């Protein structure tokens, strides 16, 4: 374990160190987002499109989660899969496309006729929209098998940092090379909030978050256990859970100290919370 102003004595594998959070530079006075629309409002519009982000905004969502990858010519685009078959009228691998060929795809009609003609969003176009809407962005650096994490970070991170203020941006990834490269590119944890994505918290999660000066952990809500959630909640690390769509089943996780939910339809959570308040 590295030693620094926030470091604690070595502990066993099973015990997270306690920190004095008041001295932790990762503490930020601005509140973490409670509701994040997964791939935009993907329950109601084609995922990872400009339309899905506009739909999220129109439905009252303040934050969206989006995946970014590179086309073969190095253009960063908002896309989840390694292939294009599921969410477009094309076939093949994303990295085989260049910007011109990607722009010919229909990425909306697979979801519904009203989205026919929707185009794959470049990161540039998406950042412009998010800026205009004044939304927050959880950008997931999506490193598909065989793709280069460092190239993705170099292409996607600088324009994103340029476009959005630190309090409206969280950059996350399952890929540790991508996270490491992102932290190397911007060393100040207050200028770049990094989120460590995993299905379950890594065994020594506090070492991982400390190494990256990370802001948050993003975990699969179905695999989260109360002990681990409380352990994280006791630290200065924010905890987000993906991808939950049933606010009733999720309810207990708020009591465990989870900060935010990444959902295909956050409006269900907002409505459920309002119902709970009106009953109280
Ligand atoms: O960032 C949370 C979630 O998006 C991670 O999984 O596969 O939906 O990108 P995935
Ligand atoms: Mg994602």
């Amino acid at each position: 374990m590295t030693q620094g102003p926030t470091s604690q004595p070595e502990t066993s594998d099973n015990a997270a160190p306690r920190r004095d959070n008041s001295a932790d530079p990762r503490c930020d006075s601005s509140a973490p987002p409670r509701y994040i629309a997964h791939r935009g409002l993907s329950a109601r519009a084609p995922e990872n499109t400009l339309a899905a982000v506009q739909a999220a905004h129109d439905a009252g969502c303040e934050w969206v989660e989006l995946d970014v990858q590179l086309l073969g010519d190095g253009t960063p685009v908002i896309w989840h899969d390694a292939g294009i078959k599921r969410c477009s009228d094309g076939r093949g691998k994303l990295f085989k496309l260049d910007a011109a060929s990607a722009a010919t795809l229909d990425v909306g009609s697979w979801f519904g006729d009203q989205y026919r003609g929707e185009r794959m969003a470049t990161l540039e176009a998406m950042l412009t929209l998010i800026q205009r809407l004044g939304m927050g962005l959880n950008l997931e650096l999506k490193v598909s098998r065989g793709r280069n994490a460092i190239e993705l970070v170099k292409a996607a991170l600088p324009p994103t940092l340029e476009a959005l203020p630190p309090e409206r941006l969280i950059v996350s990834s399952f890929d540790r090379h991508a996270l490491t490269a992102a932290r190397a590119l911007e060393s100040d944890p207050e200028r770049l909030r990094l989120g460590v994505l995993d299905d379950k918290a890594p065994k020594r999660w506090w070492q991982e978050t400390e190494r990256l000066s990370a802001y948050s952990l993003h975990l699969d809500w179905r695999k989260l256990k109360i002990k681990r959630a409380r352990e994280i909640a006791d630290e200065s690390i924010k905890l987000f859970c993906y991808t939950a769509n049933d606010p009733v089943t999720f309810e207990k996780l708020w009591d465990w100290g989870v900060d935010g939910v990444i959902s295909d339809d956050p409006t269900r959570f907002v409505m459920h919370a309002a119902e709970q308040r009106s009953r109280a």
Side-chain angles (χ1 to χ4, degrees):
M1 186 173 194
T2 56
Q3 294 298 308
T6 64
S7 296
Q8 297 294 303
E10 291 282 356
T11 61
S12 76
D13 279 3
N14 298 324
R18 297 268 155 180
R19 292 195 185 102
D20 173 8
N21 292 346
S22 63
D24 194 327
R26 284 165 290 176
C27 288
D28 192 304
S29 55
S30 60
R34 191 163 173 86
Y35 308 111
I36 303 174
H38 183 235
R39 308 181 194 174
L41 193 60
S42 58
R44 298 197 218 158
E47 64 180 55
N48 278 321
T49 61
L50 299 170
V53 171
Q54 185 68 55
H57 181 262
D58 294 349
C61 303
E62 293 176 354
W63 277 73
V64 287
E65 185 267 2
L66 300 167
D67 306 292
V68 66
Q69 301 190 61
L70 297 184
L71 297 178
D73 64 2
T75 306
V77 291
I78 306 300
W79 200 255
H80 179 273
D81 297 355
I84 59 171
K85 185 176 173 190
R86 184 175 64 86
C87 297
S88 85
D89 60 352
R91 295 283 183 276
K93 298 285 188 191
L94 186 75
F95 77 83
K96 299 267 185 182
L97 301 175
D98 60 16
S101 53
T104 66
L105 295 171
D106 177 336
V107 303
S109 52
W110 70 273
F111 190 87
D113 277 348
Q114 70 271 41
Y115 295 106
R116 185 173 302 280
E118 183 74 25
R119 297 301 167 201
M120 185 184 289
T122 60
L123 174 65
E124 187 184 6
M126 187 59 86
L127 289 171
T128 300
L129 178 64
I130 288 174
Q131 272 180 323
R132 183 166 65 72
L133 298 175
M135 299 181 83
L137 171 63
N138 170 199
L139 187 67
E140 182 189 338
L141 300 164
K142 183 66 85 184
V143 184
S144 292
R145 190 187 300 267
R147 301 290 88 211
N148 188 308
I150 313 301
E151 281 175 17
L152 174 60
V153 170
K154 282 185 180 165
L157 195 54
T160 306
L161 287 170
E162 179 75 25
L164 297 173
E167 67 276 11
R168 285 206 277 122
L169 177 66
I170 300 169
V171 173
S172 60
S173 189
F174 286 103
D175 189 289
R176 300 302 193 261
H177 297 296
L179 290 172
T180 303
R183 180 51 75 219
L185 202 144
E186 175 50 75
S187 61
D188 185 345
E190 292 189 12
R191 290 209 188 134
L192 172 60
R193 293 169 163 185
L194 283 182
V196 176
L197 250 170
D198 224 315
D199 57 348
K200 289 191 287 188
K203 198 172 180 189
R204 297 186 177 208
W205 63 265
W206 61 91
Q207 286 184 343
E208 192 74 343
T209 52
E210 184 169 282
R211 181 181 71 78
L212 291 160
S213 300
Y215 171 75
S216 49
L217 276 162
H218 301 220
L219 305 176
D220 186 334
W221 75 278
R222 296 163 303 179
K223 297 184 181 167
L224 187 65
K225 301 276 190 294
I226 184 170
K227 179 171 173 285
R228 187 50 56 91
R230 291 238 158 101
E231 205 177 86
I232 296 165
D234 282 347
E235 299 297 319
S236 58
I237 298 296
K238 309 300 180 206
L239 176 56
F240 300 105
C241 285
Y242 67 89
T243 303
N245 292 319
D246 178 2
V248 177
T249 318
F250 196 83
E251 213 157 48
K252 64 181 182 204
L253 277 79
W254 297 122
D255 297 333
W256 297 357
V258 167
D259 291 286
V261 64
I262 301 171
S263 171
D264 297 327
D265 190 353
T267 66
R268 293 185 199 163
F269 287 81
V270 174
M271 276 190 301
H272 180 70
E275 282 164 18
Q276 298 291 90
R277 278 196 303 275
S278 69
R279 281 201 205 109

